[in-house]
Amino acid sequence: MRPRALFGATMGAFFLACAASVRRPAPAPVSVSVAADAAAPLVEAASTSAPLQPLPYAEAIRRFPEMAAFPRPQELSEVEWLKGVETVRLWVDRSELWPGAPRGCSVYAFHRDRTPAGRDGSDWIAPRPRAGAPDALLRLRSYVRLEAGDDAEVLGATLIVYPDRLAYTGLNAHLAARCEGDQVERRSGCVPMDCMVCTRIRFYDVSDEAHYGWGSPPQIYRVLPAPDPSCAPCDPGVRAADLPLAKATAAATHVLRPQAGPVFFRSPADCAAHLRDHLPDDP
């Protein structure tokens, strides 16, 4: 064979080998899925769709009434039972106002502040909150402010409004949502064998404060093989389809979590009950 023909045959064999290697199918990847233990919430598959828009709060509590159990920030000017009222008497445990003061309910007569700073009716002032400070003022807004001469002190935290009281006990938080259910579908000979069924959506508050932290208990997850295609898909549960919207709405909802702080009651009986229900810690 002449050299030119030998060279051509060699190159032809080389290109045929390359083409065969390109056409050869790659080995199938080994896939895994993540599933939660029976006590843990469902883990939904990652979605490539655009993020859902959260619902407005009024619509959210119609769709997810569980959210209404969490107190939300509210201005004093929005309190229904203060509208159209010029003066109001409120009872408070004096030990929540004065460090070292004995426990007991004291009544203060608050009136609307008609000065320019409070012309919207959001300020309420009680004079002489302490006998030893005749020029002192106790001011209620979204905070409790104690003023005595040139000194001023803010007590408690953010206002939480209730039908029977003003509680200055709120810590900033937002909501999170997850699926829960008591039902676990067990299937023999299938992967996965246990199917967690979403029968309810639970909301819980998560701290926004840098020095506070709380939330749901940690969940334990395990890695499982990919679902067996010969098995029927797991039943996701009646509430699973609502979970993405619930998560988007909860993350955008600002709430308050109760913490220690002064509470002003509309009646002496409610203040007395507060004293009985919140006994001091044993020394």
Side-chain angles (χ1 to χ4, degrees):
M1 181 180 294
R2 285 179 293 181
R4 186 182 298 272
L6 177 62
F7 175 79
T10 304
M11 293 302 294
F14 173 78
F15 286 118
L16 285 173
C18 290
S21 66
V22 171
R23 290 194 300 268
R24 185 178 300 120
V30 177
S31 60
V32 295
S33 62
V34 179
D37 284 340
L42 295 177
V43 178
E44 59 274 18
S47 175
T48 57
S49 60
L52 292 172
Q53 292 298 315
L55 297 174
Y57 183 73
E59 186 177 348
I61 59 176
R62 285 194 294 269
R63 181 75 176 271
F64 306 108
E66 303 92 340
M67 292 178 58
F70 296 88
R72 300 179 68 236
Q74 188 175 4
E75 291 296 328
L76 204 57
S77 58
E78 302 172 15
V79 181
E80 289 296 329
W81 51 271
L82 287 177
K83 291 181 179 179
V85 177
E86 293 298 320
T87 61
V88 63
R89 289 161 62 88
L90 298 175
W91 283 259
V92 61
D93 177 7
R94 67 179 72 94
S95 68
E96 296 175 353
L97 298 180
W98 309 105
R103 300 181 76 236
C105 291
S106 294
V107 59
Y108 295 105
F110 290 89
H111 65 271
R112 285 187 188 271
D113 182 8
R114 294 299 183 182
T115 61
R119 67 171 59 136
D120 63 349
S122 61
D123 279 24
W124 290 76
I125 294 178
R128 297 194 64 174
R130 194 177 189 185
D135 61 339
L137 297 174
L138 192 61
R139 187 185 300 272
L140 302 183
R141 193 183 261 184
S142 58
Y143 51 81
V144 179
R145 184 179 175 94
L146 181 63
E147 301 174 354
D150 295 332
D151 297 329
E153 181 182 1
V154 175
L155 307 175
T158 306
L159 170 65
I160 301 178
V161 178
Y162 296 96
D164 63 337
R165 64 197 186 278
L166 303 175
Y168 291 86
T169 59
L171 293 178
N172 290 326
H174 66 273
L175 291 180
R178 74 182 186 193
C179 262
E180 289 186 349
D182 301 323
Q183 180 182 353
V184 178
E185 179 187 349
R186 301 192 181 277
R187 312 182 302 177
S188 60
C190 277
V191 176
M193 186 173 68
D194 293 346
C195 294
M196 278 62 69
V197 181
C198 179
T199 57
R200 62 181 178 271
I201 294 178
R202 179 196 168 199
F203 294 89
Y204 55 96
D205 51 2
V206 181
S207 173
D208 288 341
E209 304 282 349
H211 51 288
Y212 291 97
W214 64 81
S216 65
Q219 305 298 321
I220 300 174
Y221 296 89
R222 65 186 186 275
V223 177
L224 296 176
D228 187 340
S230 65
C231 295
C234 286
D235 175 13
V238 294
R239 299 301 303 274
D242 294 334
L243 183 61
L245 182 59
K247 282 190 169 185
T249 301
T253 303
H254 190 82
V255 296
L256 297 173
R257 174 177 248 218
Q259 188 70 12
V263 182
F264 294 81
F265 293 91
R266 299 177 66 183
S267 74
D270 288 337
C271 184
H274 174 73
L275 290 178
R276 292 192 301 270
D277 296 339
H278 295 77
L279 298 175
D281 295 334
D282 293 333

